[in-house]
Amino acid sequence: MKAQGKAFRYGENVDTDVIIPARYLNTSDAKELASHCMEDLDATFVKKVQLGDIIVAERNFGCGSSREHAPLAIKTAGISCVIASSFARIFYRNAINIGLPIMECEAAVAGIKMGDNVSVEFTKGVITNETTGERWSAEPFPPFIQKMISADGLIQYLQQEVLS
Amino acid sequence: MSMTMSQKILAAHANVDQVRPGQLIMADLDLVLGNDITSPVAIKEFAKFGIDAVFDTSKIALVPDHFTPNKDIKAAQQCKMMREFAYDKKIEHYFEIGQMGIEHALLPEQGLVNAGDLIIGADSHTCTYGALGAFSTGVGSTDMAAAMATGKAWFKVPSALCFNLTGKLPPWVSGKDLILHIIGMIGVDGALYKSMEFTGEGVASLNIDDRFTICNMAIEAGAKNGIFGVDGVAIAYLGAHCKRTPLVFQADEDAEYERTYDIDLATLRPTVAFPHLPDNTRTIDEVGQIKIDQVVIGSCTNGRISDLRIAAKILKGKKVNPTVRTIVFPATQEIYLQAMDEGLLKIFVQAGAVVSTPTCGPCLGGHMGILAEGERAVATTNRNFVGRMGHPQSEVYLASPAVAAASALTGYISNPESIEE
Ligand code: SF4
């Protein structure tokens, strides 16, 4: 499994209120949410993002509200992976639960600029800046979470493991 | 191996004797919460299970509090979806408008939280219930859906930070000032993935509402949960609200904490978090002249009866500054009624404030007090992110009810000590 695309580079503490402002939460329609993704932080994001692109941000990405609308908006906007120095915990579990790949790697974040072409190999945890040629390895997921991802999210995983 | 209080509750619910930090467990839940924003997503996910019934109709709470009374047609549709699900699945604890309140004030008040419980909620401030010695934490809608189906959730066992409290809070300084001080000290990710456990002889002097406020904002430091030991104050509250017998878990004497912070409550000052992060704190003495347009007193952080009493004490017999829109939100119907009985609502209205029905309203920039471009609010809420209360170029200053009420009178962020009684 691999992702490749251009990087949208942001700072630290990108909160779920700027990822998807509450004024748009009167719907749970993923496409509608995606059309406002990152609006209060980067009004050009929605216009520029292309399928496969990657968000790269500094520490504590996704802090704040538990709204799953945030990873959902990011995923539906076409983002294939979020790389951050660290993730806020609810965002972390939401992303895993809905199947939005995320990677924690501080070194990669430091070495990627806005617009760089970035690729990620999920199974090996390897992140490459194709623009500069730099390469980093990130911590792979623990087996429990890998199982969940390969089951395509929490619901399917639980159907297999718990309800059967 | 020794365990913290949070670890003991998790171990008990995973049916094991022992857990260690970092371990992934599947645990049984005592309560699953959702609101009108997060439940619709969860209900759609629940449908994917292809099962008819929820795991236990008495262990799910659904609260329409964010965009209610329905703000617009879309919000009405979301609430309708939640209401129909609640009726269809025979959910016992669905709270219609008229019975509802802001979820994190409502659930403990309705006796749905017990000491020793393991609770998840599709709302980040679910961590509030740690005030009663429960392990409670916020999750997303898919977790909520899975929990409604199975009664279980996965957890990574957290390590913990210990906050050892001594002394007593000075007059006009509250639990809000303490938690803002702590967040300012450790940062918005200072407790990331960890538990915040509050102990020490200073705890005894904190009333239950202060403890709710403190645990409520644990998430603002990135924590998984915040928790207090169960003492007489907690037992008294539980006795008045919860029918179940409290299950008291105590941290082992030699429980391991990643770090212990000693805080003398007597040294704290009224504290304000400046835009746009809750850790951007200053004491009231360092605030300077900040002119404001709106004051919001309420929310799951500070909309409880003791918060309203403090605000009323400051506003009694006075008028708010005519340039400040002052909005008071009692957090539940019961608090509303109590405030009415005590004459607090009259004090607010006479002072020129408005009093709203319980709702999240402006706290998340939903409705009932949205800020325009360039406007500033002092709010007793818990988040001051960009655009949180309205326009992306508006500003929110987080403070205690005392600071908020004092600021409403002067039109500037003000020290409650400077207001003459
Ligand atoms: S009052 Fe504010 S923080 Fe509390 S549940 Fe409502 S929106 Fe969330």
Side-chain angles (χ1 to χ4, degrees):
Chain A
M1 228 176 105
K2 200 175 160 171
Q4 184 158 356
K6 69 174 181 305
F8 285 86
R9 179 71 167 73
Y10 301 114
E12 54 186 36
N13 301 315
V14 174
D15 61 77
T16 55
D17 273 278
V18 296
I19 297 173
I20 180 74
R23 58 183 180 275
Y24 302 122
L25 295 183
N26 53 4
T27 179
S28 57
D29 181 72
K31 285 218 178 71
E32 203 177 327
L33 293 169
S35 73
H36 298 292
C37 190
M38 308 303 274
E39 194 172 284
D40 285 356
L41 180 66
D42 176 1
T44 66
F45 173 83
V46 175
K47 281 182 223 123
K48 289 193 199 147
V49 68
Q50 284 173 344
L51 194 67
D53 283 349
I54 290 170
I55 289 178
V56 181
E58 290 163 30
R59 68 197 175 103
N60 206 24
F61 186 88
C63 60
S65 133
S66 68
R67 60 191 73 157
E68 205 163 289
H69 313 65
L72 198 62
I74 289 175
K75 191 182 172 192
T76 312
I79 291 293
S80 62
C81 180
V82 183
I83 303 169
S85 309
S86 64
F87 290 91
R89 55 158 290 274
I90 304 179
F91 186 94
Y92 183 93
R93 62 185 294 145
N94 285 347
I96 289 166
N97 285 345
I98 68 159
L100 168 70
I102 53 174
M103 288 273 157
E104 250 175 20
C105 185
E106 202 168 349
V109 171
I112 297 173
K113 287 199 282 299
M114 190 72 141
D116 282 356
N117 183 2
V118 175
S119 71
V120 185
E121 288 171 74
F122 294 117
T123 34
K124 292 192 205 136
V126 175
I127 300 168
T128 310
N129 186 337
E130 305 286 352
T131 307
T132 64
E134 269 181 287
R135 188 174 271 254
W136 304 271
S137 53
E139 188 78 16
F141 285 127
F144 175 82
I145 290 176
Q146 266 178 28
K147 262 203 230 165
M148 204 143 60
I149 290 173
S150 60
D152 202 25
L154 177 69
I155 302 282
Q156 290 80 350
Y157 170 79
L158 285 176
Q159 275 174 321
Q160 289 166 18
E161 299 276 320
V162 179
L163 289 183
S164 57
Chain B
M1 212 187 104
S2 55
M3 289 189 284
T4 66
M5 216 178 138
S6 303
Q7 290 161 0
K8 281 195 178 171
I9 297 175
L10 286 174
H13 287 80
N15 296 310
V16 293
D17 295 333
Q18 185 77 56
V19 294
R20 45 170 212 292
Q23 185 180 344
L24 287 155
I25 55 164
M26 196 56 94
D28 295 322
L29 302 167
D30 297 298
L31 189 67
V32 180
L33 161 72
N35 60 46
D36 53 310
I37 290 182
T38 56
S39 301
V41 179
I43 291 165
K44 284 187 198 166
E45 290 298 308
F46 181 87
K48 292 185 189 163
F49 273 103
I51 56 172
D52 225 23
V54 297
F55 84 105
D56 187 333
T57 54
S58 69
K59 291 185 176 175
I60 295 170
L62 299 177
V63 188
D65 57 355
H66 277 61
F67 290 150
T68 57
N70 300 341
K71 152 186 190 268
D72 55 21
I73 294 171
K74 282 181 176 171
Q77 292 294 126
Q78 298 223 92
C79 287
K80 185 173 177 221
M81 182 174 172
M82 179 159 121
R83 180 181 305 114
E84 285 174 353
F85 179 84
Y87 287 150
D88 180 45
K89 304 297 177 208
K90 305 200 166 40
I91 306 288
E92 276 175 38
H93 305 297
Y94 167 71
F95 297 92
E96 193 49 90
I97 307 304
Q99 296 131 42
M100 63 72 115
I102 301 174
E103 50 200 303
H104 309 306
L106 184 70
L107 266 47
E109 177 194 273
Q110 296 295 319
L112 298 181
V113 176
N114 193 13
D117 274 357
L118 178 57
I119 299 173
I120 63 165
D123 188 278
S124 57
H125 295 101
T126 303
C127 52
T128 307
Y129 320 131
L132 297 173
F135 184 108
S136 60
T137 191
V139 297
S141 297
T142 299
D143 276 310
M144 180 190 168
M148 289 198 296
T150 64
K152 292 173 191 293
W154 65 274
F155 295 93
K156 192 164 154 189
V157 176
S159 60
L161 300 177
C162 177
F163 295 86
N164 179 37
L165 310 179
T166 55
K168 251 183 145 165
L169 291 172
W172 301 120
V173 180
S174 66
K176 181 62 165 288
D177 301 293
L178 169 61
I179 190 65
L180 286 174
H181 169 80
I182 289 174
I183 297 165
M185 178 171 71
I186 68 174
V188 288
D189 60 353
L192 194 60
Y193 303 124
K194 301 181 183 61
S195 301
M196 295 169 81
E197 302 205 349
F198 301 93
T199 64
E201 41 100 358
V203 167
S205 69
L206 297 173
N207 69 34
I208 199 70
D209 288 356
D210 276 325
R211 298 181 196 188
F212 281 127
T213 304
I214 293 163
C215 287
N216 175 272
M217 289 192 73
I219 178 71
E220 275 14 287
K224 186 167 201 134
N225 70 314
I227 196 163
F228 278 85
V230 180
D231 63 0
V233 174
I235 292 287
Y237 184 93
L238 288 166
H241 294 87
C242 181
K243 292 201 185 74
R244 292 177 286 150
T245 316
L247 252 182
V248 180
F249 291 88
Q250 271 173 330
D252 289 317
E253 286 277 315
D254 56 345
E256 274 178 39
Y257 296 95
E258 275 193 21
R259 203 171 154 181
T260 296
Y261 296 88
D262 294 308
I263 298 172
D264 178 358
L265 299 177
T267 63
L268 295 180
R269 298 285 297 146
T271 300
V272 178
F274 275 47
H276 288 286
L277 283 174
D279 66 3
N280 192 12
T281 56
R282 297 188 201 177
T283 66
I284 197 75
D285 317 294
E286 305 159 337
V287 160
Q289 279 252 320
I290 307 255
K291 187 155 174 30
I292 54 163
D293 306 287
Q294 181 165 301
V295 162
V296 172
I297 298 172
S299 85
C300 61
T301 315
N302 282 118
R304 296 184 180 79
I305 194 68
S306 23
D307 302 314
L308 301 184
R309 283 181 191 142
I310 291 170
K313 197 167 168 194
I314 291 174
L315 295 175
K316 188 167 185 179
K318 301 199 176 68
K319 289 272 180 215
V320 302
N321 189 293
T323 65
V324 182
R325 289 117 43 189
T326 305
I327 310 171
V328 183
F329 291 79
T332 67
Q333 288 286 86
E334 209 169 293
I335 295 168
Y336 196 104
L337 203 56
Q338 198 174 347
M340 198 186 290
D341 286 346
E342 293 182 15
L344 310 183
L345 302 187
K346 192 167 176 190
I347 293 172
F348 296 138
V349 174
Q350 283 177 335
V354 295
V355 181
S356 158
T357 185
T359 175
C360 292
C363 172
L364 81 162
H367 57 148
M368 300 287 293
I370 303 302
L371 299 175
E373 182 173 4
E375 289 190 330
R376 293 198 185 108
V378 173
T380 67
T381 56
N382 48 38
R383 287 194 175 130
N384 56 354
F385 300 150
V386 170
R388 174 73 180 179
M389 203 172 271
H391 195 280
Q393 260 90 52
S394 61
E395 294 183 344
V396 177
Y397 295 73
L398 304 176
S400 69
V403 169
S407 307
L409 292 176
T410 61
Y412 292 86
I413 300 182
S414 295
N415 187 343
E417 292 162 2
S418 69
I419 306 292
E420 280 172 38
E421 275 186 49

